[in-house]
Amino acid sequence: MASLRVTQGILVLRSMRNLNDHMRKILSLQDELSTGLRVNSPSDDPIDARRAIDARTSIGTSEQYLDNMSMVGPQLEETAQCVLTSIDIVERVRELTLQGANATNSQLQLDEIANEVNQLLEAMVVESNHQTNGRYIFSGTRTLQEAFTETRDANGNITAVTYNGNTEDINVAVADGIEITANMSGQEAFLNNIDTFQVLIDVRDDLLAGDYNSLEMTRLDELKTIREQLLRATAEIGAVQNRLDRTIANTEDFVVQLERVKSDSVDADYAETVINLNAASNAYQAGLNAAARTIQPSLLDYVR
């Protein structure tokens, strides 16, 4: 059996190769400590690098969805507040209508009640034209156009209110393939079953005309219908808000999980890296000592 002839050159090459391997290991561990990452390039660990890239992409997408939802939340909140304020207005008009339907009231008293109803009508128009960030929240998708415009008589009193918006929804993506409606049209909130503004106009005019019968037999029922209409609108907005809150919480939890996946894939374990660096440094020193003893003899040592 032939034996391998080990030359001085082979010993030198092998020693240098081993030392270079130790140096590369030390350099890699130093990179981990300085960057805090175990995977600094795809070649370090292709599988974990790919997993980290996927996690980072998903985090970016989820954060964009969170940004979308952060813009929707305030609009829904202000929409809900406007509808609740409108309910308060209707409740006050109903109280005044009950008061005015009492036939013992003089016309002067009815005129005073009518004046307050007129002011409440003005307040209702203001609520219906509420703006958020310069956009009318009840105009459907025509957010730059005033939702309602009023027609006035020579005395400046409102005689009619016209809707200028549309009934289209503003849908916002909150997850892959999932959208929520970020608005409620003025048609749905104020005109769906009954014209809120016209009823308030009629109440005022009935008071001015001293029409007790109409106030008691017609307007009270109409005001009840308006209240139910606004309550349904409030419930719908609340349902969307609840859904939005749940989606935000779920998305934030998902981002936390993705951050953990990304960290587990590429982040370095500081304590473990320090231990490995010390071990690699010791191995390098041992290699240097071994190489020094192996490479030191030469032919000159034998010519003595």
Side-chain angles (χ1 to χ4, degrees), residues 1-164:
M1 182 182 213
S3 60
L4 176 64
R5 181 170 177 268
V6 180
T7 65
Q8 186 72 10
I10 292 176
L11 291 175
V12 171
L13 288 175
R14 179 165 296 181
S15 296
M16 292 303 297
R17 185 168 59 249
N18 290 337
L19 289 174
N20 284 334
D21 289 342
H22 289 312
M23 284 298 294
R24 280 194 293 271
K25 181 64 174 177
I26 290 172
L27 180 61
S28 176
L29 291 169
Q30 287 176 338
D31 286 342
E32 288 185 26
L33 286 178
S34 61
T35 63
L37 300 175
R38 180 179 59 82
V39 179
N40 287 286
S41 66
S43 61
D44 292 338
D45 191 326
I47 294 177
D48 280 344
R50 178 64 183 179
R51 186 179 295 115
I53 292 172
D54 290 342
R56 191 178 297 114
T57 301
S58 296
I59 289 171
T61 302
S62 298
E63 288 178 342
Q64 181 58 60
Y65 287 139
L66 287 171
D67 288 342
N68 293 349
M69 289 183 279
S70 70
M71 292 185 291
V72 171
Q75 178 167 327
L76 288 173
E77 182 65 31
E78 293 192 35
T79 302
Q81 188 56 53
C82 286
V83 176
L84 289 173
T85 301
S86 299
I87 292 174
D88 291 340
I89 292 173
V90 172
E91 290 286 359
R92 179 56 183 163
V93 172
R94 183 175 180 277
E95 293 174 3
L96 294 172
T97 303
L98 281 170
Q99 181 181 343
N102 188 340
T104 62
N105 288 305
S106 67
Q107 187 56 50
L108 179 60
Q109 291 172 314
L110 292 179
D111 291 345
E112 292 175 351
I113 297 173
N115 182 60
E116 183 174 350
V117 170
N118 194 55
Q119 295 304 312
L120 292 169
L121 171 61
E122 295 281 355
M124 184 69 79
V125 173
V126 171
E127 292 300 322
S128 68
N129 281 325
H130 184 82
Q131 296 181 69
T132 298
N133 296 325
R135 296 180 180 273
Y136 293 93
I137 63 177
F138 290 111
S139 292
T141 56
R142 299 174 183 172
T143 55
L144 297 180
Q145 184 173 0
E146 193 175 47
F148 293 90
T149 55
E150 59 275 15
T151 302
R152 298 178 182 272
D153 60 18
N155 297 320
N157 294 321
I158 297 174
T159 57
V161 176
T162 305
Y163 183 53
N164 304 310

